[in-house]
Amino acid sequence: MKKHPKAGAHDRARDLRTNMTDTERKLWGMLRSKQLEGCKFRRQVPIGPDFADFASNAAKLIVE
């Protein structure tokens, strides 16, 4: 059963993506476009009440 994020989570995730730290920007530069072993990553993924900075469903990996 898939858990749905709580109300407002998508807006908060959008805000977090817009205001990334310098470190997050550098890491995102390495993770995006399947540059890491062909895994697709997403940024600021709402998971329950929290947000994962980067997540790959295929690799079952979360980078915080």
Side-chain angles (χ1 to χ4, degrees):
M1 183 171 162
K2 184 177 180 180
K3 292 186 177 184
H4 297 283
K6 61 183 180 179
H10 293 289
D11 292 333
R12 177 73 176 131
R14 185 178 299 120
D15 184 50
L16 290 170
R17 285 191 298 271
T18 303
N19 299 312
M20 288 194 303
T21 65
D22 290 337
T23 305
E24 288 173 334
R25 274 184 224 289
K26 289 178 185 177
L27 184 56
W28 179 240
M30 291 183 252
L31 295 177
R32 65 192 242 181
S33 302
K34 299 183 181 180
Q35 294 180 24
L36 184 67
E37 300 292 324
C39 293
K40 181 179 179 180
F41 280 84
R42 296 176 11 189
R43 298 182 290 165
Q44 303 302 341
V45 181
I47 300 176
D50 301 314
F51 291 87
D53 289 335
F54 305 98
S56 172
N57 289 341
K60 296 182 180 179
L61 177 68
I62 293 176
V63 179
E64 185 59 36

